Amino acid sequence: MCVYDTLCGSEVAQLSMRTAFTATRLFTPVEEIRNPLLVVEDGVISEVSSRSGNEAPANTKVVDFSDAVLAPGFFDIHIHGGSGLDVMRAAASDLPRLGRFLATHGVTAYFPTTVAAPLDSTCAALERLADAIEATVSDGPVQARPLGIHLEGPFLSHKRRGVHPPENLVEPTIAVFDRLWQAARGHVRVLTIAPEIPGAMEVIAEAALRNVCVSMGHSDAEMPVAQAAVKAGARHATHTFNAMRPLDHREPGILGEVLSNNQMTADMIVDGIHVDPAVVELFLKAKGPELAVLITDAISATGMPDGRYQLGPIEVDVKDGKATSGNSLAGSVLTMDRAVRNVTKYSDWSLRDAVRAATLNPARAVGLSAHHGVLAPGASADFLVLSSTGEVLKTIVRGRGF
Ligand SMILES: [Zn+2]
């Protein structure tokens, strides 16, 4: 890596911050650009092009990452914690610590995700998360930013609840949804809901109206119910195959709709534990590089030694990379960089397609792809320097951190 200025120091000081980054390849991620030039001004991408010869724009600092790959920062829309911190229990002022940990694994944006808890404590957590989302961070170490909230429940199926405590599951009503929405001050961006429970369709329609990405999950729905939910406004599926009625060739159920609907995005935990690699490959074939989304579902134990941890109100034991509560899996200790590399191991997908499933696809699913998950003019300069095998060498947020 070499860093040089095309101007002397005093001239640079008079100009606004403009930096050009070069490398061997760049993933937009829809396209691959060879010999790329990524120009950043004041934390925003102003140009993405191929470098002709060796020239950089005038009055620009050039940072060359030689044989590395530039890619958008990862966007995790389903994460409960990491580095010992649980997003439902943390103070708003503690979240930057999680953000710094996530940045070391290539994540630049994330949605802190709730689990089913008593409504009062959920609302208190949502207020703290809204505080963290609204806090502006302009200096200090590079960190992933919380951009919105994912409500995983409380409108989940008792039959497919996983570790969500049964006493905290609630029948969906617009009144309860609105109470959560108000506590989160409108920052709810994803709602995981089981469409078959009475009242769900109305809440799905209302959430979709508020631009929430309605995601079917923790569900025992049969296929016609899942199809009705899509008509009502659902457009995504939460940790496909996990906490879902299993696929049956004569009774396809919710998975029949999730896997065959080519308008729906769907996400998966690709940690090698939640879903067998062969089924990961089937999922990737079904959804393709445009609709598959990677999530971690990571809990506070991520990046920590084995032991006992909290997931909202739930106690979780972590041993050998497996998080369980009773007989059920309880989230993961997966990091997004490993999820991306796992995709390239379990399938014939290129690193670019795997990166796409962790960047543009989640950003699109939640309606934020104008500024996130993509390297294009106008987008936030949140990007990664990756090795050719997907190791995160550097994470840059709003043009800072190189
Ligand atoms: Zn989860």
Side-chain angles (χ1 to χ4, degrees), residues 78-80 113-115 150 152 164 192 218 238-239 269 295-299 311 330-332:
H78 190 149
I79 174 165
H80 301 283
T113 303
T114 61
V115 292
H150 179 160
E152 187 176 13
H164 295 259
T192 292
H218 285 277
T238 295
H239 42 55
I269 310 163
I295 57 165
T296 63
D297 201 3
I299 66 165
L311 168 57
S332 83

Side-chain angles (χ1 to χ4, degrees), residues 121-136:
S121 67
T122 302
C123 286
L126 293 174
E127 285 170 24
R128 292 193 294 272
L129 292 173
D131 290 342
I133 290 164
E134 289 167 10
T136 45

